[in-house]
Amino acid sequence: MTGPLPDPFAGQPDWAPLPPRPIEIVPATGRVELRGRRVLVGLPGLGWRGDLRADERVVQGSRTYVPIIPEHEWYRAESDQVEVFAPLVPVERVWVETLADRPAAAAGSTREQAIRLVSLDGPTHRPPTPVFETDAVSGRRVVHVEDSVEHRDLRAVTESYSGADGDICVRVTPELEWYRWAWRGQPPTTLEVPVHLLWIE
């Protein structure tokens, strides 16, 4: 037998998990539902603050406002059914995280390692990054992609480690349990996930 052995994965791009859909940031002034959505607030040219959730718009006089709640307080309000303080932010200063369509994979594309410059006219979000390409993951929002299903609203509770079966893994927990860990001291239930199935959101 002469010649190279055939590539068993040639023509079968589905053997590796697809990245999750990226986050797209859109103005809250558009027709987008706000209750419970992740939002960013700020001013063009100044900067943006995240880890916030929104409630439905409020109209006072001729102005529209959005009640903005720190994400840990939003989870506490939803879980314990308590009232929390929510300052009203003018709707034009609020931007909403939405899920965009998955971009078409470019053949032979490689992830850029150069500095990525952005416009200060509006907030931006980096594309999903595989966990195995990052230097730190603990506490970060992650997406677990399994059989093309995206499991979101998760937080990493460990860095990468060698699991019992020899896989490189990260333990993750639902965000509700992540925040409950802070306000009640109740340790979260975690799931061990191989790093090749995890992406930084």
Side-chain angles (χ1 to χ4, degrees):
M1 182 171 163
T2 60
L5 293 174
D7 182 355
F9 299 114
Q12 298 178 13
D14 295 337
W15 72 272
L18 290 173
R21 292 170 291 166
I23 299 291
E24 182 178 20
I25 312 293
V26 298
T29 53
R31 295 181 177 268
V32 58
E33 190 172 318
L34 293 179
R35 172 126 173 66
R37 300 291 292 274
R38 279 196 171 99
V39 294
L40 295 101
V41 299
L43 290 169
L46 177 66
W48 311 99
R49 179 160 185 250
D51 290 328
L52 303 168
R53 296 279 181 150
D55 208 339
E56 287 303 332
R57 295 168 183 84
V58 174
V59 177
Q60 291 184 351
S62 61
R63 300 225 38 205
T64 302
Y65 298 91
V66 179
I68 300 295
I69 307 164
E71 194 165 61
H72 67 279
E73 287 289 289
W74 182 82
Y75 274 108
R76 189 170 68 87
E78 293 293 309
S79 173
D80 295 349
Q81 295 298 299
V82 296
E83 295 286 327
V84 295
F85 177 71
L88 299 178
V89 177
V91 69
E92 62 272 9
R93 294 185 183 182
V94 180
W95 297 70
V96 185
E97 290 189 13
T98 61
L99 291 176
D101 292 330
R102 185 176 281 121
S109 67
T110 58
R111 186 170 288 278
E112 294 179 20
Q113 297 297 327
I115 293 175
R116 185 178 75 113
L117 300 178
V118 299
S119 167
L120 294 180
D121 293 339
T124 59
H125 199 283
R126 293 190 177 279
T129 304
V131 163
F132 60 80
E133 290 184 12
T134 63
D135 56 354
V137 67
S138 183
R140 307 225 10 221
R141 288 168 41 187
V142 292
V143 182
H144 175 199
V145 180
E146 185 177 35
D147 299 327
S148 299
V149 176
E150 298 172 6
H151 304 280
R152 292 182 180 264
D153 295 329
L154 300 171
R155 292 278 179 157
V157 295
T158 68
E159 296 297 337
S160 301
Y161 65 92
S162 180
D165 295 333
D167 287 337
I168 298 173
C169 299
V170 169
R171 295 199 81 80
V172 301
T173 191
E175 272 193 332
L176 172 60
E177 294 197 33
W178 168 259
Y179 286 116
R180 189 180 286 145
W181 193 11
W183 81 72
R184 286 191 190 161
Q186 178 180 336
T189 303
T190 63
L191 175 67
E192 184 178 80
V193 180
V195 291
H196 69 278
L197 300 177
L198 280 177
W199 300 74
I200 300 289
E201 188 168 47

